[in-house]
Amino acid sequence: MSTITFTPISLNTRAVLVFKLIGVDDVMVVSANAEVRDLVTTAAVALGQRPALCDPSELGGRWQTASTVFVGVDAAAEVAALALPRRDRVFLVGRDVGAAALWSMPLGAEVIVLPEGRAWLSTVLAGPGSQGTGRVTVLLGGSGGVGTSTLAASLAWTASKSGSSVALVDADRLGGGIDLLLGAEQTTGWRWPRFTAAEGVLGDLREFLPVVDGVAVVSMARGPDLDLAREPLTAVLGSLQRTYDHVVIDPGRWLGAAGREAVRQASNTLVVVGGSVRGLAAAGQALRAFEPAEAHLVVRQLPPARLPDEVAEDVLGLPVIGRLRHDPRLAAAAERGERPPLGRRRGGLGALCDRLLESA
């Protein structure tokens, strides 16, 4: 099975110095620690950048010339003693959390703790904007059975028909795969199991993904339980943001690292709430668990309960941006693997998607 990842290689000092140029270096590595040197230089070379090793005693004249400086925790005290002027893009790298915390302020450096932080090295090296500019909308189910996946798919289709390039991401490990909802279980293309080892900055994924009516889909697959980790979600999302105008994510209600990361990176979070007392209580629990930075409510009308919008806003402390009315055709279409009916009349699903996209 193919996967996308960066393969670690071992670079000794002589190999690294091949990439050293007189004048400006892309990446400066100040460390005697072999792990720090190898990880940083490997990530830099993979991105086509020129890494160079530097001893602290030689750093003074080169401090301002490198685009990015990585200081190993082992060299932090020596570098801090030089009292060099403050600059951007300095990173302190190592395993000693206490020493990193001690020296991060004197160096004006952000901290990358190993081994967990190795997945972020390539993102750091890619620089600002490496995550792209595509808008990320997360559809968070306040409870089960409120049509969150249906609304996510409908929102993606509506955005695509308006001329935007759109990717729909299914991060619900227990949802059975959103491709079933779309009738695309037989459509060829990569599902999440292909990306489980992905980390850092990925290239263009468009040729690998299944496409359904103009929408690229990253779906879970049926089979052994896949506990999607934060790193592959971040890597895939970064690639999608660089190549699509809009990314719609259905993280499910599983409180895992990937779901939290999806909500953290969202431009906006739409919380689909069942219009009942129990639905509001469940949505309150979901909001406390995921803690979205910015969110709006979409109230699903579930007969016979008809709670006013004001009640949902008062209980959850968030504005209601739309209502998803009860429509038996939605469930029937999902069972048949057909696109939900996007009715444009007032109260229809299509009209709701139009309104949600206008307010995005």
Side-chain angles (χ1 to χ4, degrees), residues 285-312:
Q285 289 294 98
L287 285 167
R288 282 186 285 273
F290 284 94
E291 298 180 295
E294 180 182 353
H296 297 84
L297 305 178
V298 176
V299 178
R300 172 74 187 275
Q301 296 175 317
L302 296 171
R306 289 185 177 274
L307 287 178
D309 291 351
E310 294 78 10
V311 174

Side-chain angles (χ1 to χ4, degrees), residues 122-315:
S122 53
T123 301
V124 166
L125 285 163
S130 63
Q131 286 300 98
T133 58
R135 184 167 183 81
V136 178
T137 298
V138 168
L139 279 292
L140 184 61
S143 60
V146 292
T148 306
S149 297
T150 297
L151 181 56
S154 301
L155 193 66
W157 270 322
T158 303
S160 176
K161 295 307 178 186
S162 69
S164 298
S165 57
V166 185
L168 174 62
V169 178
D170 166 25
D172 184 359
R173 61 183 286 192
L174 300 180
I178 204 168
D179 55 353
L180 283 174
L181 174 67
L182 309 178
E185 64 272 18
Q186 300 300 322
T187 304
T188 58
W190 288 12
R191 272 68 173 173
W192 269 117
R194 291 276 190 161
F195 298 107
T196 53
E199 60 181 35
V201 178
L202 302 185
D204 190 341
L205 301 179
R206 284 176 290 189
E207 65 177 293
F208 303 106
L209 302 179
V211 177
V212 184
D213 290 338
V215 175
V217 181
V218 183
S219 178
M220 286 292 180
R222 273 69 58 195
D225 181 34
L226 173 64
D227 187 3
L228 184 60
R230 179 183 182 184
E231 289 78 9
L233 186 283
T234 302
V236 169
L237 180 56
S239 173
L240 297 178
Q241 284 185 269
R242 290 190 296 275
T243 49
Y244 293 92
D245 300 322
H246 201 155
V247 182
V248 179
I249 307 179
D250 177 10
R253 288 174 51 80
W254 182 265
L255 194 60
R260 288 181 180 275
E261 182 65 17
V263 172
R264 189 185 73 82
Q265 296 203 31
S267 307
N268 186 33
T269 301
L270 301 175
V271 184
V272 186
V273 182
S276 65
V277 172
R278 187 176 181 187
L280 292 181
Q285 289 294 98
L287 285 167
R288 282 186 285 273
F290 284 94
E291 298 180 295
E294 180 182 353
H296 297 84
L297 305 178
V298 176
V299 178
R300 172 74 187 275
Q301 296 175 317
L302 296 171
R306 289 185 177 274
L307 287 178
D309 291 351
E310 294 78 10
V311 174
E313 292 177 337
D314 289 344
V315 171

Side-chain angles (χ1 to χ4, degrees), residues 326-344:
H326 178 66
D327 186 344
R329 295 178 301 167
L330 298 181
E335 285 300 314
R336 294 191 298 267
E338 298 176 356
R339 181 193 300 180
L342 298 176
R344 251 58 190 193

Side-chain angles (χ1 to χ4, degrees), residues 37-92:
R37 294 199 311 265
D38 287 354
L39 287 176
V40 174
T41 53
T42 298
V45 170
L47 290 170
Q49 299 182 10
R50 300 180 298 271
L53 296 178
C54 183
D55 187 87
S57 63
E58 304 171 342
L59 188 58
R62 306 170 67 184
W63 176 250
Q64 297 290 0
T65 62
S67 63
T68 309
V69 177
F70 291 91
V71 179
V73 170
D74 61 290
E78 291 183 75
V79 175
L82 298 174
L84 297 166
R86 293 275 176 155
R87 55 154 292 162
D88 295 330
R89 297 187 59 76
V90 178
F91 298 90
L92 191 58

